[in-house]
Structure formats: structure tokens, C-alpha cells
Amino acid sequence: MNKLAIIGGGGWGTALACVLAQRFGTVSLWMHETDLAATVERTRVNQIFLAGITIPGNLRVTSSLETALHGADIVVSVMPSHVVRVVYTQLLPHLRPGTPLVSATKGLEAGTLERVSEVIRSVVGPAFPVAVLTGPTFAREVAEGKPTAVVAASHDFDLAQNLQQLFSGPSFRVYAGNDPVGAEIGGALKNVIAIGAGICDGLELGHNALAALITRGLAELTRLAVAAGGRPETMAGLAGLGDLVLTCTGDLSRNRQVGLKLARGSKLGEILGSTPMVAEGVKTTSVAIHLATRLNVELPIARQMHAVLNEGKSPADAIRELMSRALRPEAV
Ligand SMILES: NC(=O)c1ccc[n+]([C@@H]2O[C@H](COP(=O)([O-])OP(=O)(O)OC[C@H]3O[C@@H](n4cnc5c(N)ncnc54)[C@H](O)[C@@H]3O)[C@@H](O)[C@H]2O)c1
């Protein structure tokens, strides 16, 4: 394996390019923004999405999909979930059939309610092996070489194990998994719970509240994942609990920041308009609610987040409603 193509040069795509550049002869990084791609290629820093990190010499940055994908042995895609379908439609003509496609996007597609790997499969058809790469990963920490563990998951376990061998390095430890459904539902849903965690902290509700939210959030992730065909043990792993803990407690989480700011009185439009970076949890919340209805699953925290984000409910009322729901057994 000599060439890796990374499609999507936001914070996470750039960080992955930095850490995986040590593992491949050449890495190409495709960016949506033509001007930014040229600037990053010249200055060797992605000042907009990952300021202060110098990118390695064997990384080529381009805004041409054809150039990025030429000769690629593996493609990792890292664009926001709402553009996955359109970007894959554009890149399909430049892919060699059989090239492994690895999704590092976290989210669900509005309308179809599909997981990102399902969207990719529906665009590219059966000729490409597909995997997901997910887990507790703040882009900046990965780019700084801090120890990080992730999971590469695919229905094709051989592919997951190959990716494990190819991507693992001194600061980047990859576990192989065969439950991409659970891995993707975990990665998408934890962003919704993180908004709730930000609300808890923004309202200064204390550690008990946060611990309860994370735990009941894990129950929601697990219910939805299992109803979608995933396995409960995946949700106890890096893609579930691991990512949930990171996003709910770490201040680098944008979704947690959204909750913090909402609790302190900012309006959603102002919060989202203040940065070019995506907070996937905002879109994922509505999609998760629809998916839960389709699969006949209860997601009380996600429902309250939906009401706060889209129906003008106050964060304090949302927490009050969660605390006054009908009493129930803990398990199930
Ligand atoms: N940042 C992290 O720490 C992190 C970690 C793990 C997973 N992720 C996931 O990775 C995905 C990408 O997030 P990010 O943090 O790298 O992005 P980002 O928020 O840093 O940047 C936004 C990205 O969206 C791209 N973009 C905007 N409009 C586009 C369009 N029309 N077509 C193609 N691209 C467009 C921009 O070019 C940029 O790359 C998300 O699903 C996110 O949840 C992020």
C-alpha cells in the first residue's frame, strides 16, 4: 500500500492525514475549498480547521478529486454527513473498483435516515469494500501525537483487520471490529448526548447530573444501535462509551460547546454562524428522532435535545422533563 487519499480537509481529515502520513509513501488530502487547499499546500498549515499543526512533507493537498484519487490504494472520507452523498457521487468516476473506502464521518443522513456507510454503499454499489473508522478522537490531540485508540469496523472483518495493521502506529492504536452498525450509531448519537452534557454544565447542575446523563445516554445509544442491527457490546467499546465520555466531558467537543452556549442564553443560529466548523449533533438529533420512531425505540434525551434545538424549549425545562418522566426500571 503506497498511496492513501483522504477526502475532506476539515479538522479531522487534516489530523488523520498527519498521523497516517507516517504509514504511507504518499498521502493526498482533498479539500472542498480551492483557495484553502492551495494555501495549505504552500504554507503547510491548515490555519482554518487545525491551526498551529505543521503537516508532513509527504502530504499533498489539492482541491481536485481526480488528483487526490489518482493511484489511491485506500480512500478515507471525512466530510460532514450532509455532503457525503454529493461528494461520493463526484468522486465515483475517479475510483478504481475494489478500492477500500473508509468512512470517518459521524452522523446520519437526513431524509433517508441512513448511516454514512449505507449512503456510501448506495452511491458506489457493491464493487467496493466499505469500513468505518470511529472512536474517541479529538482531531487536535491526534495531530499532536497524543495516544489515541480507535476502532476500524466492517462487515468484512478481514478488511477491518487489514486497516488495523495499516493504520496503527506509536500514538494511534486501531482495534478491529465487525459491527459497523453499532460503531456508526454510537459515533452519531454521542454527539446528541454531548449537547445535553453541555447543557448540564452550562446550567451548573453538577457532576451527579453529568454522570447520570452519560449513563442514560449510553442506554439510548444502545437501544437505537440494537434496534438497527448493532450489538450491545459495541456500545461498551470505543465507538460507544469511549466516544460518549470524550464528547460529554472534553471541552474540545463542539457539540458540548453548543449545549454550554445554549444553556448560557445564546441562540442556536448565532452559535452555528460563528464558525465554519460542523457540530454534527445538531443535525443528527432530528434524524435520530425519526429513526427511533421508525424502529419503535424511545430516546428521551434526544427528544428533549430536539425540543431545545428546534422547538424553542428552554434547556432548564428540558432537564426538568427528563427528571419527571414516569419512573421505570433501570435495565431495558
Ligand atoms: N474534529 C474532530 O475532532 C472529529 C473527530 C472525529 C470525527 N469527526 C467527524 O468528521 C467529520 C468532519 O468533521 P471535521 O471536524 O473534520 O470538519 P470541520 O468542522 O473541521 O470542517 C468542516 C468541513 O466541512 C467541509 N465542507 C463544508 N461544505 C462542504 C461541501 N459542500 N462539500 C464538501 N465539504 C464541505 C469543509 O471543507 C471542512 O472540511 C464530521 O462528521 C465529524 O463529526 C470529527
Side-chain angles (χ1 to χ4, degrees), residues 189-222:
L189 259 282
K190 58 93 193 181
N191 283 331
V192 178
I193 308 301
I195 297 173
I199 284 178
C200 282
D201 283 349
L203 294 174
E204 298 179 12
L205 301 182
H207 298 297
N208 298 350
L210 185 60
L213 183 98
I214 291 173
T215 311
R216 295 312 302 164
L218 181 62
E220 288 193 23
L221 261 62
T222 306

Side-chain angles (χ1 to χ4, degrees), residues 159-179:
L159 171 62
Q161 287 183 304
N162 283 341
L163 294 170
Q164 175 180 43
Q165 293 299 327
L166 285 166
F167 289 179
S168 288
S171 67
F172 198 66
R173 182 172 169 81
V174 183
Y175 287 81
N178 62 359
D179 179 16

